[in-house]
Amino acid sequence: MGDPAPVIDVDDLSYRYPGRDEDAVRGVSFQVAPGEIFGFLGPSGAGKSTTQKVLIKLLTGYRGRAQVFGRDLSSWGDDFYERVGVSFELPASYRKLTARENLALFASLYSGEVEPIDALLEMVGLREAADQRVSEFSKGMQMRLNFVRALLNRPELLFLDEPTGGLDPGNAVRIKALIRERRAAGTTVFLTTHDMTVADELCDRVAFIIDGELPVIDAPRKLKLAHGERRVRVELRGADGLTSETLPLADFDEGALAELRGRGREIETIHSEEASLEQVFLAVTGRGLH
Ligand code: ADP
């Protein structure tokens, strides 16, 4: 048996905004497997949202192939939205309605089964705020509401744009755990982020995106092994107190140890450090994530 058919299949996709003289997305190709969390990691303006908007049919007039669930995007009608969930970075709820009213309204648009609203609100800690108007919500609360709104129709494919943007650390952890739960339940996730921690912690595979192009696509761990330099950090105690020095793992030998111990210093701890995805991004693209 071969690999299962991809949920998203994109080949040589380009997109140019009307009136612009350059493509925002330039000939990108990638496939997303069922049940995979696939991430687009790149700085602001790289083309993440544009790609996502093409994939959810908000932008038409793209060039190249873009298939979801085995069919060209152009051949999908409104039934497409029964099968996908979308959470945008910008708050997208009706401000005059309460959280519960918003979810009830969006639930009424689906023909299939929907998740119980109270359970969704509970999941993201909004049960207490269920009957407050969204205009009274903080940005983080609006983000959490957006997130569960995307789960209403039990989507097979979830699009998330900066899923932890604007969240405090506790809620970011909660949302990341919920995304992993969706994966465990078989949902495919396509997410975009400029946050390397999100990409590293969540994604099975990550595509680096820069100037509308994808120079690499791989598992975060493999990228770190292939492109990142492993380093060793040594803490030393000497006359001037505790100091630390970092050197490449490849250079860490008897000679290096002897040199570190010189000048009356004692080695206190030795840690090996893995390259971060951000360092790999810099090594591959020559640019930072911010
Ligand atoms: P990202 O999501 O990675 O921050 P975007 O996909 O939003 O990047 O933007 C990619 C490029 O397209 C940028 O150069 C941006 O200025 C341009 N762009 C984005 N939205 C529009 C638009 N509505 N009209 C014209 N150009 C746009």
Side-chain angles (χ1 to χ4, degrees), residues 194-206:
H194 68 276
D195 182 333
M196 69 107 183
T197 321
V198 169
D200 199 5
E201 287 180 10
L202 282 182
C203 295
D204 296 301
R205 284 186 309 143
V206 61

Side-chain angles (χ1 to χ4, degrees), residues 234-238 241-243 265-271:
V234 184
E235 280 186 327
L236 302 147
R237 185 168 295 282
L242 204 59
T243 53
R265 298 187 300 182
E266 291 285 334
I267 291 177
E268 191 133 316
T269 61
I270 300 175
H271 297 282

Side-chain angles (χ1 to χ4, degrees), residues 135-161:
S135 57
E136 296 165 13
F137 275 19
S138 67
K139 173 155 191 261
M141 290 165 83
Q142 294 184 40
M143 295 299 301
R144 285 182 274 148
L145 182 60
N146 278 351
F147 178 78
V148 283
R149 200 184 97 188
L151 303 181
L152 260 175
N153 56 328
R154 302 182 172 171
E156 293 158 64
L157 170 60
L158 195 51
F159 290 97
L160 303 172
D161 193 358

Side-chain angles (χ1 to χ4, degrees), residues 15-18 20 22-25 42-53 59 89 161-162 192 209 212:
Y15 183 83
R16 180 176 299 194
Y17 286 97
R20 286 292 183 109
E22 280 197 347
D23 289 344
V25 173
S44 180
K48 302 183 295 294
S49 303
T50 304
T51 308
Q52 196 171 56
K53 283 178 185 158
L59 292 175
E89 184 175 13
D161 193 358
E162 299 291 354
T192 63
I209 179 163

Side-chain angles (χ1 to χ4, degrees), residues 79-131:
D79 48 344
F80 181 68
Y81 298 105
E82 297 282 339
R83 297 177 63 179
V84 305
V86 177
S87 180
F88 284 117
E89 184 175 13
L90 294 175
S93 297
Y94 290 100
R95 294 175 59 77
K96 287 188 176 164
L97 301 183
T98 67
R100 193 196 302 280
E101 286 165 349
N102 264 288
L103 291 182
L105 176 68
F106 288 103
S108 72
L109 303 177
Y110 294 113
S111 60
E113 233 182 304
V114 290
E115 292 286 350
I117 288 171
D118 281 343
L120 289 175
L121 290 167
E122 180 81 49
M123 219 186 253
V124 287
L126 289 175
R127 189 74 186 264
E128 303 275 287
D131 299 310

Side-chain angles (χ1 to χ4, degrees), residues 44-86:
S44 180
K48 302 183 295 294
S49 303
T50 304
T51 308
Q52 196 171 56
K53 283 178 185 158
V54 167
L55 291 174
I56 60 177
K57 290 170 60 70
L58 276 187
L59 292 175
T60 52
Y62 61 85
R63 308 189 305 282
R65 187 179 71 205
Q67 295 187 334
V68 176
F69 306 130
R71 274 170 58 184
D72 274 328
L73 282 173
S74 51
S75 78
W76 277 106
D78 284 346
D79 48 344
F80 181 68
Y81 298 105
E82 297 282 339
R83 297 177 63 179
V84 305
V86 177

